[in-house]
Amino acid sequence: QTKVGKTSLIMSLVSEEFPDVVPYKVEEITIPADVTPERVPTHIVDYSGSDTQDHVICIVYSVNNKKVPLILVGNKSDLVEHSCMDTILPIMNKYIEIETCVECSAKSLKNISELFYYAQKAVLHPTGPLYCLDQKE
Ligand code: GTP
């Protein structure tokens, strides 16, 4: 989605500071293994919704193979007083591919490192089934 704060989240993670001025996209970066909680190098690729205006985004997966774990990230939590988890939980229950969800704020630096930790964990130790349950032999 556009303008949700993707670039700001990456910049807040890297500089531990909310950027007043945010470029439309940041360069690809690799966080070295020794500073990540799971001790694996983490490559972060930004993308700008502005690149894809009037286009369609296709998420392609192989139905008989490993599913890509998804994380729902609710950014800008500084703008609301209450959590939106009540709305999110039914969605999580419906889609087993969703590993976890997290509310965070690039601005108040809330849950930023946690978000990237959950992303690493979702890849390294996924809890969902890796193969389609009704896969034919
Ligand atoms: P695109 O590149 O257009 O897809 O946007 P993006 O998802 O990378 O969002 P970006 O980081 O450019 O942020 C969009 C706007 O939201 C900017 O004005 C940010 O300052 C603001 N913003 C980002 N994160 C937060 C946040 O946690 N809280 C608040 N209040 N504003 C935020």
Side-chain angles (χ1 to χ4, degrees), residues 1-9 18-20 22-25 46-50 75-79 104-108:
Q1 257 189 303
T2 183
K3 298 289 170 208
V4 291
K6 299 177 295 295
T7 307
S8 305
L9 282 170
F18 180 65
D20 288 330
V22 57
Y24 94 110
K25 204 153 86 174
D46 193 9
Y47 124 94
S48 176
S50 316
N75 188 34
K76 308 195 186 183
S77 66
D78 57 287
L79 295 178
C104 63
S105 165
K107 188 166 186 175
S108 63

Side-chain angles (χ1 to χ4, degrees), residues 61 66-72 91-100 122 126-129 132:
Y61 65 95
K66 200 173 182 207
K67 295 197 170 166
V68 176
L70 301 176
I71 294 183
L72 285 182
I91 302 174
M92 269 196 81
N93 289 336
K94 188 164 172 203
Y95 299 99
I96 49 170
E97 297 86 351
I98 303 177
E99 276 289 325
T100 191
T127 57
C132 209

Side-chain angles (χ1 to χ4, degrees), residues 106-127:
K107 188 166 186 175
S108 63
L109 303 181
K110 185 184 155 206
N111 279 348
I112 306 295
S113 50
E114 284 81 356
L115 149 64
F116 288 91
Y117 170 57
Y118 294 149
Q120 286 192 345
K121 239 174 61 150
V123 174
L124 296 171
H125 321 289
T127 57

Side-chain angles (χ1 to χ4, degrees), residues 22-98:
V22 57
Y24 94 110
K25 204 153 86 174
V26 285
E27 292 288 316
E28 295 186 18
I29 49 158
T30 301
I31 312 279
D34 57 336
V35 292
T36 70
E38 291 280 344
R39 298 281 181 258
V40 286
T42 305
H43 194 66
I44 303 178
V45 182
D46 193 9
Y47 124 94
S48 176
S50 316
D51 287 345
T52 53
Q53 268 171 17
D54 303 327
H55 291 68
V56 61
I57 298 171
C58 297
I59 300 178
V60 182
Y61 65 95
S62 165
V63 291
N64 65 344
N65 212 332
K66 200 173 182 207
K67 295 197 170 166
V68 176
L70 301 176
I71 294 183
L72 285 182
V73 179
N75 188 34
K76 308 195 186 183
S77 66
D78 57 287
L79 295 178
V80 295
E81 286 187 5
H82 301 290
S83 154
C84 305
M85 283 296 173
D86 288 355
T87 325
I88 295 299
L89 283 176
I91 302 174
M92 269 196 81
N93 289 336
K94 188 164 172 203
Y95 299 99
I96 49 170
E97 297 86 351
I98 303 177

